[in-house]
Amino acid sequence: MMKKALKFLIFQIRPLLIFLFSFFFKREYLTGRHFDTHFGYIWAIKAIYQRSILRLARPLPFPVCLTCSISRGDRIFFHADDLNNFQSPGTYFQNFSADIYLGRGVYIGPNSGIITDNHDVHNLDNHVGGADVRIGDRCWLGMNTVVLPGVVLGDATIVAAGAVVTKSFPDGGVVLGGAPAKIIKYLDSNI
């Protein structure tokens, strides 16, 4: 009963909530499928409270859960429908000097990392130049996966849990697994 009342209240004051949220987030991220349900509003309220009021983590231009780490919110590009990827616990997006591009319909499992920079092996205090990471449409990164700098994954690529992707698979339509990741299965072209 309480949940139903909360949903009703949220949708009654929806324009006001979006207006208030726009003081904390870019308006383009306050749309999409998650704001057609109550999830987007709850994520936004939590992010404002934890990141902007309590300052437990740095505020970002879109709602992000407290346990998700993003180096630079301005260097990650995704569709507003895929805001759920930043609510997954322990996800890590390291993009200091390069960009991360997430295709539409991407799912990223808990404790997964996408990394665009590496440390200099001769001086660990320094980073070597970064390389963009591009994940195609309808990809799925399973739990505890790692995607390293410069990797390009084509559409409909599935990365098995625990895999470490060190090289690109731009054709897509495959299941990758292992460390380093290799093709373990080709998917039906209808996916």
Side-chain angles (χ1 to χ4, degrees):
M1 187 70 170
M2 176 81 160
K3 193 173 185 181
K4 199 172 190 178
L6 178 63
K7 284 183 190 179
F8 178 77
L9 177 64
I10 284 173
F11 289 108
Q12 292 301 311
I13 60 172
R14 183 180 194 169
L16 176 63
L17 286 174
I18 296 296
F19 173 74
L20 293 173
F21 292 165
S22 67
F23 287 105
F24 299 94
F25 308 116
K26 286 186 178 179
R27 235 183 200 312
E28 66 195 76
Y29 298 118
L30 301 175
T31 61
R33 66 187 176 112
H34 299 294
F35 284 92
D36 291 337
T37 66
H38 65 287
F39 291 112
Y41 298 94
I42 292 171
W43 294 340
I45 291 167
K46 281 183 177 180
I48 291 168
Y49 181 68
Q50 294 169 340
R51 291 178 174 267
S52 297
I53 296 172
L54 295 179
R55 295 289 185 173
L56 298 175
R58 187 171 36 85
L60 291 162
F62 46 89
V64 175
C65 79
L66 186 58
T67 60
C68 176
S69 176
I70 300 174
S71 303
R72 301 228 2 226
D74 62 331
R75 297 199 78 162
I76 188 163
F77 303 95
F78 63 95
H79 191 276
D81 280 349
D82 300 321
L83 194 60
N84 55 296
N85 289 315
F86 308 103
Q87 312 311 315
S88 191
T91 49
Y92 178 72
F93 300 89
Q94 187 258 50
N95 57 339
F96 292 113
S97 63
D99 298 329
I100 296 173
Y101 298 91
L102 301 175
R104 192 154 185 192
V106 168
Y107 283 91
I108 300 174
N111 301 317
S112 295
I114 299 175
I115 301 167
T116 63
D117 300 23
N118 274 321
H119 289 275
D120 181 346
V121 295
H122 301 292
N123 182 356
L124 297 179
D125 292 332
N126 295 330
H127 284 94
V128 294
D132 293 348
V133 172
R134 295 179 182 275
I135 310 292
D137 294 341
R138 302 174 326 280
C139 290
W140 175 22
L141 305 181
M143 185 175 192
N144 297 319
T145 57
V146 178
V147 178
L148 294 178
V151 166
V152 175
L153 297 179
D155 295 346
T157 297
I158 297 172
V159 181
V164 179
V165 185
T166 60
K167 66 180 185 176
S168 294
F169 295 88
D171 294 337
V174 294
V175 177
L176 305 174
K182 62 182 181 187
I183 297 173
I184 57 176
K185 182 179 181 181
Y186 289 91
L187 297 173
D188 183 8
S189 61
N190 294 329
I191 294 179

